[in-house]
Amino acid sequence: MRRAGKRRFAMGVRLPELLAPAGSLQALAAAVAAGADAVYTGAGAFNARAAATDLSLDELRIAAGLCHGRGARLYVTLNIFVRDDELDEAVALAADVLEAGADALIVADLGLIAELRRRLGDVEIHLSTQAGVHASDGALLATRELSVSRVTCGRELSVDEIAAMAVTGVEIEAFCHGAICVCYAGACSFSSLRRGRSANRGDCTQPCRLHYGLADGAGRRVDAREGDLLLCPRDYLSIRHIPQLVDAGVGALKIEGRMKNPDYVFNVVGCYRAALDAVRDGLPVEVDALEAQLARSFNRGFTTDYLDGSAGAGLMSWERSCNQGLRAGVVVERRYEEVVVELERSVEAGDTLEIRYIPGEEAAPDVPKRWPMVPCPVTAAAGARIAVHCKRKVSCGSVVHVVRSAGVLARTDAAVATVLDGVQDAAPPAPAARAEGMGPSCRSGSAARAGARPCADAGRTPARAVLVETPERAAALLEAGGAEILVPAFAVAETGCGAWGSLLGRLTVLLDEVSRVGDEAFQRSLCATAGAVACRNLTQVAYARDAGAAFEIASPIPVTNVASLHACADLGARRVWLPSDMAVDRVAGLARAAAGRVLVGVVSSGLPELMVTEHCLLTAEGACSGSCGGCARRRSERFLVERDGTCLPVRVDVRGRTRIYDAEPLDRSGDVAMLATAGVSCFLEADEGACAW
């Protein structure tokens, strides 16, 4: 049963729910004190922030009481992709957090959603952004087939795209502030394949915050930007778009940051609360003041590129991945062990100031940049000059930023203390018994379903499939026979459908990882003309079903347990391709469990994809021409170079999307016999010059 939260209205229109993060009780208290309508948190191992300090069940009961006592709602994230041996525990945890007072669960795994429905009944489920829904048809399918009540869209969407999803009547949750992963959510295997820790399991090593070079085929460095954080985005900012997002009909605005401190949560929630309340009251949003206040909390610099329909250089923070703070003044005089700063913004005693010294052209080449951090000794207004103790040598003209706000910290501490006063020593007791429908069955039970339709091709000899990227190779292999032929949709787009002609009707087209408004016409045409399609998100499943096309399912649709295999079969998939970063023993286990239910395929050789991003990595070489089709850089070899010299192939498609591939090819040739015995029905190899997925 859905528990109502606060309802705020703007001129008769319901405002979006303001959804805040909380990695601790203190952060949750900060969120509700600042005006959050709902709070999301983790509890246990099944959420996408493995390093977060999750709430215990006792703390969750306190949290539920705090939220509900202030008219707010509480959501718990269970948004990693779950393995078979974890399903029972995940469902049991879901039952426990619901008993503790959670109002809804945020879930990405299709199998876990199915098991929650089967074992717990009418629980409120919100589809996580990890599920990769970026267009209306996917949102509609998710609500209809998965019975989710809300869909969280990706950060990459523009305001118009978000509005197009919201107009369907599906409740859309959109991010409004915080850190950005450069890869589409749920589609990143970089950390898993290169570092052995999976982002989709909540254990990302954050490769997008590391240093890289960009090289051509001869090994020459071609990146020409100041800084080498080539995959590091700025932070998402929507404070200037709040009226548009309200008009778009967004159901909830979500602040990223379950790893952030309470002062971050308090400050950011307070700013967005002020903006929404201004819209409610018909007043202008004081965007300049609010953006400046937001910058007093941790940020990597702000970007509105995605909301504005762009993903260019303005998205990126090439030079720094740490806190940028708020520009507050400039050094105008140097003295012995101190400097004089002329303030452009107010500061408070106890603020931490960062003085950014950048050597001029006259400096020796070995003179480093210096970024000393010093305490602010006084409270002063914009226009004042203050003396600041600084032993490090910096020059006049050095810019000064506030990187830690004493005022925000003090106000947060006071607000949190007020909310938590007397609460933590009075935790409500655990319920004596489970609610109806949450009995022992929630802790065990097979994912198999009675009456499951058998797979028509079960038991046949495993097939060989080859992934090609040119019509010439496709024609040659079709003539030779003995293999199914797959072609990536981006390769078809590169040459145009005309170059493939009637071949498409004999091929399986591997659709792109992403389906946005601009992708719809092309992807629908492929569903209508290809022999079959491999769908990589729920939106494409909707397109394939509309066209009556035979379809398969491949990552980044998450398939990591038997229940998710069955969910794919229920959607109508004839085959499921398991992820390339899945361990061989788990592949074998899923293949055995899928026997007679749905066909299972695996990639046996080829360079696996690490990530796909809307940002064109080639902008690191200089200004973009704006013409992807004719871009000379795009048609030349490019490699992302890690610090140890490892070269990762980079491909940019005709739409400007970047795909980065692993340096070493996947090779499961030694496991083919065992996997075939286990029930894998098809083994795919990438043709020479083609990459896998």
Side-chain angles (χ1 to χ4, degrees), residues 130-156:
Q130 293 291 111
V133 175
H134 303 103
S136 301
D137 289 88
L140 288 166
L141 183 143
T143 56
R144 184 175 61 248
E145 302 281 347
L146 306 180
S147 298
V148 299
S149 58
R150 177 185 291 182
V151 173
T152 309
C153 64
R155 296 167 176 84
E156 293 83 0

Side-chain angles (χ1 to χ4, degrees), residues 488-497 500 512 522 526 634 653-655:
F490 64 76
V492 178
E494 190 69 46
T495 57
C497 290
W500 296 80
D512 291 346
F522 180 58
L526 291 175
R634 197 178 65 81
D653 68 22
V654 73
R655 292 184 61 84

